[in-house]
């Protein structure tokens, strides 16, 4: 994915303009979801929605999961742009 | 008056940053001591089940390198603080062969290369930070893929004597990916783990707390090096909780990438 969608200027420009970006290790996400912090419920939801091995998820500004795509399912740039479109729906 | 107005943009331009020539004493040398710890924890236990991964050991505990081995890491001309330049990717190999003879700069997969950055300048010393991607075939079946190697070279500014050098795998969980393939067969198994020490370090001479005149933080220099490898590093990547807080405050959507290794290195 680093050499695919995340190297494409259209994807990066869109992310830079419209998104707050984060990455997290799966184990850390699970730990966070099991905790009692303010973001634990969202971490738990993301961990439950996670698809092996590398998953990209679009969340609303309130933390609702709008769409996700696993790197193995659709590694294409067009597929990634469609994923980001979910934020506008 | 018109002349003054025309000159104003020139007056407002930032001054050109000072560019420095980095020199190396051709008669100098540097000695490195090697350390290689076993994996502390891995996702699937493959490190513990594979003999060559259980008790790794450097090929040579101590080795001295002539200046000629360091020369390729220097910039080809004068550079400004924070400037990044490419280093021939094979330059790292003589050093990594102290760890294992199989070190190679062509990667089975991933982003190969080495880049260096002028991180700090003082009246008497300068420091280069560099980042190299390389891998090892520990046996014909076992591929060992460190996330990256970070190098730090401290030089006497005037004489070009290397005062210290370290080349280390950053200690973080997770930082090594392995692939174990069956003898003569297809398929195989993969794992990712935390190796707390994989390093080549020169014994530091005493009194090395350099007063810098100009410096980048390590974090800034690392970001510049990461950007040389990965276009995605141009984005701001926040910790998960901070990203959700900012998204809520700015009413922007969030992209979350969930994975087993660091996004901006070769461990995943």
């Amino acid at each position: 994915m680093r050499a695919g969608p995340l190297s494409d200027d259209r994807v990066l420009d869109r992310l830079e303009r419209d998104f707050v970006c984060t990455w997290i290790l799966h184990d850390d996400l699970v730990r966070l979801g099991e905790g009692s912090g303010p973001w634990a419920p969202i971490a738990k939801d993301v961990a439950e929605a996670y698809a092996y091995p590398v998953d990209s998820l679009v969340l609303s500004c309130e933390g609702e999961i709008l769409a996700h795509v696993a790197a193995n399912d659709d590694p294409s740039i067009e597929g990634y742009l469609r994923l980001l479109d979910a934020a506008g729906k | 008056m018109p002349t003054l107005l025309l000159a104003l943009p020139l007056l407002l331009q930032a001054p050109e940053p000072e560019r420095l020539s980095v020199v190396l004493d051709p008669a100098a040398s540097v000695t490195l001591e090697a350390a290689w710890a076993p994996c502390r924890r891995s996702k699937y236990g493959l490190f513990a089940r594979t003999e060559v991964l259980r008790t790794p050991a450097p090929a040579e505990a101590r080795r001295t390198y002539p200046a000629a081995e360091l020369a390729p890491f220097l910039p080809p001309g004068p550079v400004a603080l924070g400037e990044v330049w490419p280093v021939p990717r094979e330059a790292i190999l003589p050093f990594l062969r102290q760890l294992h003879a199989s070190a190679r700069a062509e990667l089975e997969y991933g982003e190969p290369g080495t880049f260096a950055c002028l991180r700090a300048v003082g009246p008497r010393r300068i420091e280069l930070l560099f980042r190299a991607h390389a891998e090892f075939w520990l046996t014909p079946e076992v591929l060992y893929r460190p996330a990256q190697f970070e190098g730090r070279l401290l030089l006497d500014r005037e004489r070009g004597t290397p005062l210290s050098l370290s080349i280390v795998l950053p200690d973080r969980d997770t930082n090594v990916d392995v692939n174990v393939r069956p003898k003569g067969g297809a398929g195989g198994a993969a794992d990712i783990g935390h190796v707390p020490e994989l390093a080549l370090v020169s014994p530091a001479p005493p009194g090395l707390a350099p007063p810098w005149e100009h410096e980048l933080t390590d974090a800034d220099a690392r970001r510049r090096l990461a950007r040389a490898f990965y276009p995605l590093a141009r984005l701001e990547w926040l910790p998960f909780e901070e990203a959700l807080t900012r998204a809520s405050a700015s009413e922007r959507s969030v992209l979350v990438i969930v994975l087993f290794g660091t996004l901006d290195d070769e461990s995943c």
Side-chain angles (χ1 to χ4, degrees):
Chain A
M1 204 168 61
R2 276 187 294 257
L6 291 178
S7 288
D8 182 78
D9 280 340
R10 287 173 298 164
V11 171
L12 296 177
D13 289 348
R14 182 84 192 278
L15 288 172
E16 199 160 36
R17 190 178 65 234
D18 298 334
F19 287 80
V20 178
C21 298
T22 181
W23 63 265
I24 185 166
L25 298 180
H26 178 258
D27 287 356
D28 291 347
L29 181 68
V30 169
R31 264 195 297 276
L32 209 56
E34 290 168 349
S36 56
W39 302 113
I42 295 173
K44 189 165 182 285
D45 288 349
V46 172
E48 284 173 2
Y50 162 77
Y52 179 87
V54 178
D55 202 12
S56 298
L57 303 96
V58 167
L59 275 55
S60 72
C61 60
E62 293 91 18
E64 180 193 356
I65 298 171
L66 302 175
H68 74 118
V69 63
N72 288 356
D73 289 345
D74 186 357
S76 72
I77 292 164
E78 295 307 323
Y80 218 81
L81 288 167
R82 281 195 296 277
L83 168 76
L84 302 185
D85 284 344
K89 288 178 183 167
Chain B
M1 187 67 160
T3 310
L4 182 61
L5 285 175
L6 284 172
L8 197 56
L10 292 174
L11 293 171
L12 294 176
Q13 278 180 356
E16 279 289 310
E18 186 189 4
R19 301 181 72 80
L20 300 169
S21 293
V22 181
V23 296
L24 183 66
D25 175 2
S29 65
V30 62
T31 297
L32 297 179
E33 293 176 352
W36 194 345
C39 177
R40 180 176 289 163
R41 188 187 75 83
S42 80
K43 184 77 183 163
Y44 302 114
L46 192 58
F47 285 83
R49 293 199 307 274
T50 308
E51 189 177 347
V52 71
L53 296 173
R54 270 201 297 272
T55 52
E60 290 176 73
R62 191 179 171 92
R63 186 171 163 193
T64 298
Y65 297 86
E69 307 275 32
L70 286 173
F73 291 87
L74 270 56
V79 285
L81 183 76
E83 194 167 330
V84 171
W85 61 92
V87 171
R89 65 180 61 159
E90 295 77 18
I92 196 68
L93 296 180
F95 298 92
L96 297 186
R97 285 179 183 135
Q98 185 179 347
L99 294 167
H100 198 275
S102 69
R104 44 177 260 161
E106 301 301 325
L107 306 184
E108 191 74 359
Y109 16 76
E111 200 60 48
T114 298
F115 289 90
C117 174
L118 178 58
R119 193 199 73 79
V121 178
R124 294 174 50 209
R125 292 163 179 159
I126 59 171
E127 187 180 277
L128 311 184
L129 196 73
F130 59 87
R131 171 174 174 159
H133 291 178
E135 64 186 25
F136 305 93
W137 281 96
L138 300 185
T139 69
E141 294 80 31
V142 177
L143 175 61
Y144 193 89
R145 304 179 60 238
Q148 58 164 290
F149 286 96
E150 181 177 277
R152 193 180 295 270
L153 174 60
L154 182 67
L155 287 166
D156 180 287
R157 186 170 162 179
E158 193 175 325
R159 290 195 298 267
T161 313
L163 302 171
S164 71
L165 171 65
S166 62
I167 300 172
V168 305
L169 169 68
D171 177 15
R172 63 185 175 206
D173 188 2
T174 52
N175 61 2
V176 173
D177 180 274
V178 290
N179 286 243
V180 179
R181 296 164 187 184
K183 280 185 183 170
D191 199 359
I192 186 165
H194 174 207
V195 173
E197 189 175 31
L198 177 57
L200 300 165
V201 179
S202 62
L208 270 190
W212 299 119
E213 286 175 327
H214 308 285
E215 66 173 318
L216 304 181
T217 62
D218 280 353
D220 189 0
R222 285 171 180 145
R223 271 194 298 274
R224 289 169 192 243
L225 292 171
R227 283 201 291 265
F229 284 95
Y230 307 117
L232 66 87
R234 82 175 212 219
L235 302 179
E236 184 181 22
W237 295 88
L238 297 175
F240 183 77
E241 292 168 287
E242 198 179 326
L244 294 178
T245 303
R246 185 178 297 181
S248 176
S250 62
E251 298 192 341
R252 292 166 79 193
S253 303
V254 186
L255 175 75
V256 185
I257 298 179
V258 186
L259 67 176
F260 284 107
T262 304
L263 184 64
D264 63 355
D265 68 27
E266 294 298 312
S267 63
C268 184

